[in-house]
PDB file of all heavy atoms in Angstrom:
ATOM      1  N   LEU B  29      -1.833  -2.826   7.672  1.00 91.00           N
ATOM      2  CA  LEU B  29      -2.875  -2.706   6.648  1.00 91.00           C
ATOM      3  C   LEU B  29      -2.675  -3.798   5.599  1.00 91.00           C
ATOM      4  O   LEU B  29      -1.553  -4.222   5.354  1.00 91.00           O
ATOM      5  CB  LEU B  29      -2.803  -1.324   6.002  1.00 91.00           C
ATOM      6  CG  LEU B  29      -3.023  -0.148   6.958  1.00 91.00           C
ATOM      7  CD1 LEU B  29      -2.789   1.167   6.235  1.00 91.00           C
ATOM      8  CD2 LEU B  29      -4.427  -0.185   7.547  1.00 91.00           C
ATOM      9  N   PRO B  30      -3.764  -4.244   4.970  1.00 89.00           N
ATOM     10  CA  PRO B  30      -3.634  -5.349   4.013  1.00 89.00           C
ATOM     11  C   PRO B  30      -2.833  -4.930   2.785  1.00 89.00           C
ATOM     12  O   PRO B  30      -3.027  -3.829   2.260  1.00 89.00           O
ATOM     13  CB  PRO B  30      -5.083  -5.653   3.633  1.00 89.00           C
ATOM     14  CG  PRO B  30      -5.835  -4.402   3.927  1.00 89.00           C
ATOM     15  CD  PRO B  30      -5.146  -3.748   5.084  1.00 89.00           C
ATOM     16  N   GLY B  31      -1.928  -5.798   2.350  1.00 88.00           N
ATOM     17  CA  GLY B  31      -1.162  -5.554   1.131  1.00 88.00           C
ATOM     18  C   GLY B  31      -0.017  -4.572   1.304  1.00 88.00           C
ATOM     19  O   GLY B  31       0.611  -4.177   0.329  1.00 88.00           O
ATOM     20  N   ILE B  32       0.245  -4.141   2.541  1.00 91.00           N
ATOM     21  CA  ILE B  32       1.354  -3.218   2.783  1.00 91.00           C
ATOM     22  C   ILE B  32       2.458  -3.981   3.515  1.00 91.00           C
ATOM     23  O   ILE B  32       2.312  -4.326   4.686  1.00 91.00           O
ATOM     24  CB  ILE B  32       0.903  -2.027   3.648  1.00 91.00           C
ATOM     25  CG1 ILE B  32      -0.328  -1.374   3.066  1.00 91.00           C
ATOM     26  CG2 ILE B  32       2.054  -1.042   3.863  1.00 91.00           C
ATOM     27  CD1 ILE B  32      -0.105  -0.168   2.236  1.00 91.00           C
ATOM     28  N   GLY B  33       3.556  -4.265   2.817  1.00 89.00           N
ATOM     29  CA  GLY B  33       4.699  -4.922   3.433  1.00 89.00           C
ATOM     30  C   GLY B  33       5.580  -3.906   4.129  1.00 89.00           C
ATOM     31  O   GLY B  33       5.306  -2.715   4.078  1.00 89.00           O
ATOM     32  N   PRO B  34       6.662  -4.382   4.772  1.00 87.00           N
ATOM     33  CA  PRO B  34       7.547  -3.462   5.507  1.00 87.00           C
ATOM     34  C   PRO B  34       8.147  -2.370   4.614  1.00 87.00           C
ATOM     35  O   PRO B  34       8.248  -1.222   5.022  1.00 87.00           O
ATOM     36  CB  PRO B  34       8.652  -4.375   6.046  1.00 87.00           C
ATOM     37  CG  PRO B  34       8.176  -5.767   5.877  1.00 87.00           C
ATOM     38  CD  PRO B  34       7.106  -5.767   4.848  1.00 87.00           C
ATOM     39  N   LYS B  35       8.505  -2.722   3.374  1.00 87.00           N
ATOM     40  CA  LYS B  35       9.109  -1.736   2.468  1.00 87.00           C
ATOM     41  C   LYS B  35       8.116  -0.634   2.100  1.00 87.00           C
ATOM     42  O   LYS B  35       8.457   0.543   2.096  1.00 87.00           O
ATOM     43  CB  LYS B  35       9.597  -2.420   1.175  1.00 87.00           C
ATOM     44  CG  LYS B  35      10.871  -3.212   1.348  1.00 87.00           C
ATOM     45  CD  LYS B  35      12.104  -2.353   1.098  1.00 87.00           C
ATOM     46  CE  LYS B  35      13.346  -3.118   1.534  1.00 87.00           C
ATOM     47  NZ  LYS B  35      14.533  -2.271   1.627  1.00 87.00           N
ATOM     48  N   SER B  36       6.879  -1.041   1.762  1.00 90.00           N
ATOM     49  CA  SER B  36       5.861  -0.049   1.419  1.00 90.00           C
ATOM     50  C   SER B  36       5.546   0.819   2.631  1.00 90.00           C
ATOM     51  O   SER B  36       5.358   2.023   2.500  1.00 90.00           O
ATOM     52  CB  SER B  36       4.561  -0.707   0.976  1.00 90.00           C
ATOM     53  OG  SER B  36       4.777  -1.642  -0.017  1.00 90.00           O
ATOM     54  N   ALA B  37       5.466   0.199   3.800  1.00 92.00           N
ATOM     55  CA  ALA B  37       5.147   0.937   5.024  1.00 92.00           C
ATOM     56  C   ALA B  37       6.212   2.015   5.248  1.00 92.00           C
ATOM     57  O   ALA B  37       5.898   3.159   5.577  1.00 92.00           O
ATOM     58  CB  ALA B  37       5.076  -0.013   6.211  1.00 92.00           C
ATOM     59  N   GLN B  38       7.468   1.644   5.017  1.00 89.00           N
ATOM     60  CA  GLN B  38       8.565   2.598   5.188  1.00 89.00           C
ATOM     61  C   GLN B  38       8.442   3.741   4.171  1.00 89.00           C
ATOM     62  O   GLN B  38       8.597   4.915   4.515  1.00 89.00           O
ATOM     63  CB  GLN B  38       9.880   1.857   5.003  1.00 89.00           C
ATOM     64  CG  GLN B  38      11.096   2.717   5.218  1.00 89.00           C
ATOM     65  CD  GLN B  38      12.379   1.941   4.951  1.00 89.00           C
ATOM     66  OE1 GLN B  38      12.589   0.852   5.470  1.00 89.00           O
ATOM     67  NE2 GLN B  38      13.247   2.496   4.145  1.00 89.00           N
ATOM     68  N   ARG B  39       8.123   3.366   2.926  1.00 89.00           N
ATOM     69  CA  ARG B  39       8.013   4.381   1.883  1.00 89.00           C
ATOM     70  C   ARG B  39       6.885   5.354   2.197  1.00 89.00           C
ATOM     71  O   ARG B  39       7.041   6.575   2.054  1.00 89.00           O
ATOM     72  CB  ARG B  39       7.746   3.668   0.547  1.00 89.00           C
ATOM     73  CG  ARG B  39       7.816   4.588  -0.628  1.00 89.00           C
ATOM     74  CD  ARG B  39       8.491   3.939  -1.810  1.00 89.00           C
ATOM     75  NE  ARG B  39       7.615   3.862  -2.958  1.00 89.00           N
ATOM     76  CZ  ARG B  39       7.060   2.755  -3.418  1.00 89.00           C
ATOM     77  NH1 ARG B  39       7.274   1.597  -2.809  1.00 89.00           N
ATOM     78  NH2 ARG B  39       6.290   2.775  -4.469  1.00 89.00           N
ATOM     79  N   ILE B  40       5.747   4.814   2.661  1.00 91.00           N
ATOM     80  CA  ILE B  40       4.608   5.679   2.982  1.00 91.00           C
ATOM     81  C   ILE B  40       4.937   6.562   4.177  1.00 91.00           C
ATOM     82  O   ILE B  40       4.631   7.751   4.184  1.00 91.00           O
ATOM     83  CB  ILE B  40       3.343   4.826   3.249  1.00 91.00           C
ATOM     84  CG1 ILE B  40       2.935   4.099   1.972  1.00 91.00           C
ATOM     85  CG2 ILE B  40       2.204   5.690   3.757  1.00 91.00           C
ATOM     86  CD1 ILE B  40       1.853   3.050   2.180  1.00 91.00           C
ATOM     87  N   ALA B  41       5.604   5.986   5.186  1.00 90.00           N
ATOM     88  CA  ALA B  41       5.952   6.763   6.378  1.00 90.00           C
ATOM     89  C   ALA B  41       6.836   7.950   5.997  1.00 90.00           C
ATOM     90  O   ALA B  41       6.606   9.073   6.451  1.00 90.00           O
ATOM     91  CB  ALA B  41       6.648   5.880   7.404  1.00 90.00           C
ATOM     92  N   PHE B  42       7.815   7.717   5.126  1.00 87.00           N
ATOM     93  CA  PHE B  42       8.695   8.822   4.732  1.00 87.00           C
ATOM     94  C   PHE B  42       7.958   9.836   3.878  1.00 87.00           C
ATOM     95  O   PHE B  42       8.231  11.031   3.949  1.00 87.00           O
ATOM     96  CB  PHE B  42       9.951   8.299   4.033  1.00 87.00           C
ATOM     97  CG  PHE B  42      11.001   7.954   5.034  1.00 87.00           C
ATOM     98  CD1 PHE B  42      11.115   6.677   5.545  1.00 87.00           C
ATOM     99  CD2 PHE B  42      11.841   8.944   5.519  1.00 87.00           C
ATOM    100  CE1 PHE B  42      12.049   6.373   6.506  1.00 87.00           C
ATOM    101  CE2 PHE B  42      12.791   8.650   6.473  1.00 87.00           C
ATOM    102  CZ  PHE B  42      12.902   7.363   6.970  1.00 87.00           C
ATOM    103  N   HIS B  43       7.018   9.341   3.096  1.00 89.00           N
ATOM    104  CA  HIS B  43       6.186  10.261   2.322  1.00 89.00           C
ATOM    105  C   HIS B  43       5.416  11.177   3.275  1.00 89.00           C
ATOM    106  O   HIS B  43       5.334  12.382   3.066  1.00 89.00           O
ATOM    107  CB  HIS B  43       5.226   9.456   1.444  1.00 89.00           C
ATOM    108  CG  HIS B  43       4.176  10.281   0.787  1.00 89.00           C
ATOM    109  ND1 HIS B  43       4.371  10.926  -0.405  1.00 89.00           N
ATOM    110  CD2 HIS B  43       2.915  10.587   1.182  1.00 89.00           C
ATOM    111  CE1 HIS B  43       3.276  11.589  -0.729  1.00 89.00           C
ATOM    112  NE2 HIS B  43       2.378  11.389   0.218  1.00 89.00           N
ATOM    113  N   ILE B  44       4.882  10.593   4.343  1.00 89.00           N
ATOM    114  CA  ILE B  44       4.087  11.372   5.292  1.00 89.00           C
ATOM    115  C   ILE B  44       4.956  12.395   6.025  1.00 89.00           C
ATOM    116  O   ILE B  44       4.524  13.514   6.280  1.00 89.00           O
ATOM    117  CB  ILE B  44       3.351  10.421   6.268  1.00 89.00           C
ATOM    118  CG1 ILE B  44       2.121   9.863   5.545  1.00 89.00           C
ATOM    119  CG2 ILE B  44       2.957  11.111   7.567  1.00 89.00           C
ATOM    120  CD1 ILE B  44       1.525   8.640   6.157  1.00 89.00           C
ATOM    121  N   LEU B  45       6.198  12.023   6.315  1.00 86.00           N
ATOM    122  CA  LEU B  45       7.117  12.967   6.962  1.00 86.00           C
ATOM    123  C   LEU B  45       7.350  14.193   6.099  1.00 86.00           C
ATOM    124  O   LEU B  45       7.636  15.277   6.607  1.00 86.00           O
ATOM    125  CB  LEU B  45       8.466  12.289   7.218  1.00 86.00           C
ATOM    126  CG  LEU B  45       8.510  11.325   8.389  1.00 86.00           C
ATOM    127  CD1 LEU B  45       9.847  10.616   8.431  1.00 86.00           C
ATOM    128  CD2 LEU B  45       8.266  12.075   9.684  1.00 86.00           C
ATOM    129  N   GLN B  46       7.258  13.993   4.785  1.00 82.00           N
ATOM    130  CA  GLN B  46       7.559  15.098   3.880  1.00 82.00           C
ATOM    131  C   GLN B  46       6.309  15.755   3.301  1.00 82.00           C
ATOM    132  O   GLN B  46       6.403  16.629   2.452  1.00 82.00           O
ATOM    133  CB  GLN B  46       8.465  14.586   2.746  1.00 82.00           C
ATOM    134  CG  GLN B  46       9.904  14.448   3.213  1.00 82.00           C
ATOM    135  CD  GLN B  46      10.661  13.383   2.445  1.00 82.00           C
ATOM    136  OE1 GLN B  46      10.174  12.846   1.464  1.00 82.00           O
ATOM    137  NE2 GLN B  46      11.864  13.077   2.892  1.00 82.00           N
ATOM    138  N   THR B  47       5.147  15.318   3.786  1.00 82.00           N
ATOM    139  CA  THR B  47       3.884  15.862   3.292  1.00 82.00           C
ATOM    140  C   THR B  47       3.501  17.067   4.145  1.00 82.00           C
ATOM    141  O   THR B  47       3.856  17.141   5.304  1.00 82.00           O
ATOM    142  CB  THR B  47       2.798  14.774   3.384  1.00 82.00           C
ATOM    143  OG1 THR B  47       3.200  13.677   2.571  1.00 82.00           O
ATOM    144  CG2 THR B  47       1.450  15.272   2.923  1.00 82.00           C
ATOM    145  N   GLU B  48       2.758  17.996   3.546  1.00 80.00           N
ATOM    146  CA  GLU B  48       2.224  19.127   4.307  1.00 80.00           C
ATOM    147  C   GLU B  48       1.415  18.625   5.499  1.00 80.00           C
ATOM    148  O   GLU B  48       0.606  17.725   5.343  1.00 80.00           O
ATOM    149  CB  GLU B  48       1.287  19.963   3.410  1.00 80.00           C
ATOM    150  CG  GLU B  48       1.962  20.659   2.257  1.00 80.00           C
ATOM    151  CD  GLU B  48       2.855  21.797   2.713  1.00 80.00           C
ATOM    152  OE1 GLU B  48       2.573  22.359   3.784  1.00 80.00           O
ATOM    153  OE2 GLU B  48       3.846  22.092   2.031  1.00 80.00           O
ATOM    154  N   SER B  49       1.606  19.238   6.650  1.00 79.00           N
ATOM    155  CA  SER B  49       0.851  18.877   7.856  1.00 79.00           C
ATOM    156  C   SER B  49      -0.644  18.836   7.577  1.00 79.00           C
ATOM    157  O   SER B  49      -1.364  17.952   8.026  1.00 79.00           O
ATOM    158  CB  SER B  49       1.091  19.909   8.950  1.00 79.00           C
ATOM    159  OG  SER B  49       2.113  19.501   9.789  1.00 79.00           O
ATOM    160  N   PHE B  50      -1.080  19.805   6.808  1.00 80.00           N
ATOM    161  CA  PHE B  50      -2.474  19.943   6.432  1.00 80.00           C
ATOM    162  C   PHE B  50      -3.044  18.656   5.809  1.00 80.00           C
ATOM    163  O   PHE B  50      -4.123  18.190   6.173  1.00 80.00           O
ATOM    164  CB  PHE B  50      -2.555  21.098   5.431  1.00 80.00           C
ATOM    165  CG  PHE B  50      -3.861  21.244   4.763  1.00 80.00           C
ATOM    166  CD1 PHE B  50      -4.942  21.783   5.440  1.00 80.00           C
ATOM    167  CD2 PHE B  50      -4.028  20.838   3.438  1.00 80.00           C
ATOM    168  CE1 PHE B  50      -6.159  21.917   4.817  1.00 80.00           C
ATOM    169  CE2 PHE B  50      -5.243  20.974   2.817  1.00 80.00           C
ATOM    170  CZ  PHE B  50      -6.313  21.518   3.503  1.00 80.00           C
ATOM    171  N   ASP B  51      -2.283  18.071   4.857  1.00 84.00           N
ATOM    172  CA  ASP B  51      -2.753  16.861   4.181  1.00 84.00           C
ATOM    173  C   ASP B  51      -2.800  15.666   5.124  1.00 84.00           C
ATOM    174  O   ASP B  51      -3.682  14.821   5.029  1.00 84.00           O
ATOM    175  CB  ASP B  51      -1.827  16.520   3.004  1.00 84.00           C
ATOM    176  CG  ASP B  51      -1.975  17.530   1.878  1.00 84.00           C
ATOM    177  OD1 ASP B  51      -3.069  18.087   1.746  1.00 84.00           O
ATOM    178  OD2 ASP B  51      -0.984  17.748   1.152  1.00 84.00           O
ATOM    179  N   VAL B  52      -1.821  15.604   6.028  1.00 88.00           N
ATOM    180  CA  VAL B  52      -1.777  14.502   6.981  1.00 88.00           C
ATOM    181  C   VAL B  52      -2.966  14.587   7.920  1.00 88.00           C
ATOM    182  O   VAL B  52      -3.616  13.583   8.219  1.00 88.00           O
ATOM    183  CB  VAL B  52      -0.450  14.498   7.768  1.00 88.00           C
ATOM    184  CG1 VAL B  52      -0.452  13.401   8.809  1.00 88.00           C
ATOM    185  CG2 VAL B  52       0.732  14.345   6.829  1.00 88.00           C
ATOM    186  N   THR B  53      -3.287  15.816   8.344  1.00 89.00           N
ATOM    187  CA  THR B  53      -4.436  16.013   9.223  1.00 89.00           C
ATOM    188  C   THR B  53      -5.709  15.543   8.532  1.00 89.00           C
ATOM    189  O   THR B  53      -6.563  14.907   9.144  1.00 89.00           O
ATOM    190  CB  THR B  53      -4.568  17.506   9.588  1.00 89.00           C
ATOM    191  OG1 THR B  53      -3.291  17.971   9.999  1.00 89.00           O
ATOM    192  CG2 THR B  53      -5.573  17.709  10.699  1.00 89.00           C
ATOM    193  N   ARG B  54      -5.821  15.830   7.230  1.00 89.00           N
ATOM    194  CA  ARG B  54      -7.018  15.426   6.506  1.00 89.00           C
ATOM    195  C   ARG B  54      -7.144  13.911   6.448  1.00 89.00           C
ATOM    196  O   ARG B  54      -8.195  13.352   6.754  1.00 89.00           O
ATOM    197  CB  ARG B  54      -7.005  16.015   5.098  1.00 89.00           C
ATOM    198  CG  ARG B  54      -8.400  16.171   4.544  1.00 89.00           C
ATOM    199  CD  ARG B  54      -8.394  16.864   3.203  1.00 89.00           C
ATOM    200  NE  ARG B  54      -7.382  16.259   2.348  1.00 89.00           N
ATOM    201  CZ  ARG B  54      -6.680  16.920   1.434  1.00 89.00           C
ATOM    202  NH1 ARG B  54      -6.875  18.193   1.271  1.00 89.00           N
ATOM    203  NH2 ARG B  54      -5.787  16.301   0.706  1.00 89.00           N
ATOM    204  N   LEU B  55      -6.043  13.230   6.104  1.00 89.00           N
ATOM    205  CA  LEU B  55      -6.063  11.768   6.059  1.00 89.00           C
ATOM    206  C   LEU B  55      -6.442  11.207   7.429  1.00 89.00           C
ATOM    207  O   LEU B  55      -7.295  10.337   7.550  1.00 89.00           O
ATOM    208  CB  LEU B  55      -4.688  11.235   5.634  1.00 89.00           C
ATOM    209  CG  LEU B  55      -4.465   9.719   5.757  1.00 89.00           C
ATOM    210  CD1 LEU B  55      -5.493   8.945   4.964  1.00 89.00           C
ATOM    211  CD2 LEU B  55      -3.064   9.333   5.280  1.00 89.00           C
ATOM    212  N   SER B  56      -5.817  11.771   8.457  1.00 90.00           N
ATOM    213  CA  SER B  56      -6.060  11.308   9.822  1.00 90.00           C
ATOM    214  C   SER B  56      -7.526  11.466  10.213  1.00 90.00           C
ATOM    215  O   SER B  56      -8.121  10.576  10.811  1.00 90.00           O
ATOM    216  CB  SER B  56      -5.154  12.087  10.765  1.00 90.00           C
ATOM    217  OG  SER B  56      -5.523  11.852  12.087  1.00 90.00           O
ATOM    218  N   SER B  57      -8.134  12.596   9.839  1.00 89.00           N
ATOM    219  CA  SER B  57      -9.518  12.809  10.273  1.00 89.00           C
ATOM    220  C   SER B  57     -10.506  12.027   9.419  1.00 89.00           C
ATOM    221  O   SER B  57     -11.541  11.596   9.917  1.00 89.00           O
ATOM    222  CB  SER B  57      -9.850  14.301  10.310  1.00 89.00           C
ATOM    223  OG  SER B  57      -9.664  14.853   9.045  1.00 89.00           O
ATOM    224  N   VAL B  58     -10.170  11.810   8.147  1.00 90.00           N
ATOM    225  CA  VAL B  58     -11.056  10.984   7.304  1.00 90.00           C
ATOM    226  C   VAL B  58     -11.097   9.557   7.858  1.00 90.00           C
ATOM    227  O   VAL B  58     -12.145   8.912   7.866  1.00 90.00           O
ATOM    228  CB  VAL B  58     -10.613  10.991   5.823  1.00 90.00           C
ATOM    229  CG1 VAL B  58     -11.353   9.943   5.028  1.00 90.00           C
ATOM    230  CG2 VAL B  58     -10.858  12.352   5.201  1.00 90.00           C
ATOM    231  N   LEU B  59      -9.946   9.082   8.353  1.00 89.00           N
ATOM    232  CA  LEU B  59      -9.884   7.743   8.948  1.00 89.00           C
ATOM    233  C   LEU B  59     -10.871   7.622  10.102  1.00 89.00           C
ATOM    234  O   LEU B  59     -11.627   6.655  10.195  1.00 89.00           O
ATOM    235  CB  LEU B  59      -8.468   7.474   9.476  1.00 89.00           C
ATOM    236  CG  LEU B  59      -7.455   6.966   8.457  1.00 89.00           C
ATOM    237  CD1 LEU B  59      -6.057   7.042   9.035  1.00 89.00           C
ATOM    238  CD2 LEU B  59      -7.776   5.542   8.057  1.00 89.00           C
ATOM    239  N   ILE B  60     -10.839   8.610  10.992  1.00 89.00           N
ATOM    240  CA  ILE B  60     -11.715   8.596  12.161  1.00 89.00           C
ATOM    241  C   ILE B  60     -13.174   8.714  11.717  1.00 89.00           C
ATOM    242  O   ILE B  60     -14.044   7.975  12.179  1.00 89.00           O
ATOM    243  CB  ILE B  60     -11.365   9.788  13.087  1.00 89.00           C
ATOM    244  CG1 ILE B  60      -9.971   9.592  13.685  1.00 89.00           C
ATOM    245  CG2 ILE B  60     -12.414   9.952  14.185  1.00 89.00           C
ATOM    246  CD1 ILE B  60      -9.886   8.548  14.742  1.00 89.00           C
ATOM    247  N   GLU B  61     -13.404   9.652  10.791  1.00 88.00           N
ATOM    248  CA  GLU B  61     -14.762   9.945  10.344  1.00 88.00           C
ATOM    249  C   GLU B  61     -15.406   8.715   9.701  1.00 88.00           C
ATOM    250  O   GLU B  61     -16.552   8.372   9.977  1.00 88.00           O
ATOM    251  CB  GLU B  61     -14.686  11.084   9.325  1.00 88.00           C
ATOM    252  CG  GLU B  61     -15.931  11.955   9.298  1.00 88.00           C
ATOM    253  CD  GLU B  61     -15.808  13.028   8.224  1.00 88.00           C
ATOM    254  OE1 GLU B  61     -14.677  13.509   7.994  1.00 88.00           O
ATOM    255  OE2 GLU B  61     -16.835  13.358   7.610  1.00 88.00           O
TER     256      GLU B  61
END
Side-chain angles (χ1 to χ4, degrees):
Chain B
L29 299 174
I32 308 262
K35 285 270 170 193
S36 308
Q38 183 183 309
R39 189 140 120 252
I40 295 170
F42 274 92
H43 170 86
I44 281 162
L45 284 174
Q46 282 152 8
T47 299
E48 294 290 333
S49 265
F50 170 75
D51 290 331
V52 177
T53 312
R54 206 175 47 213
L55 170 57
S56 169
S57 59
V58 169
L59 276 167
I60 293 287
E61 209 182 326

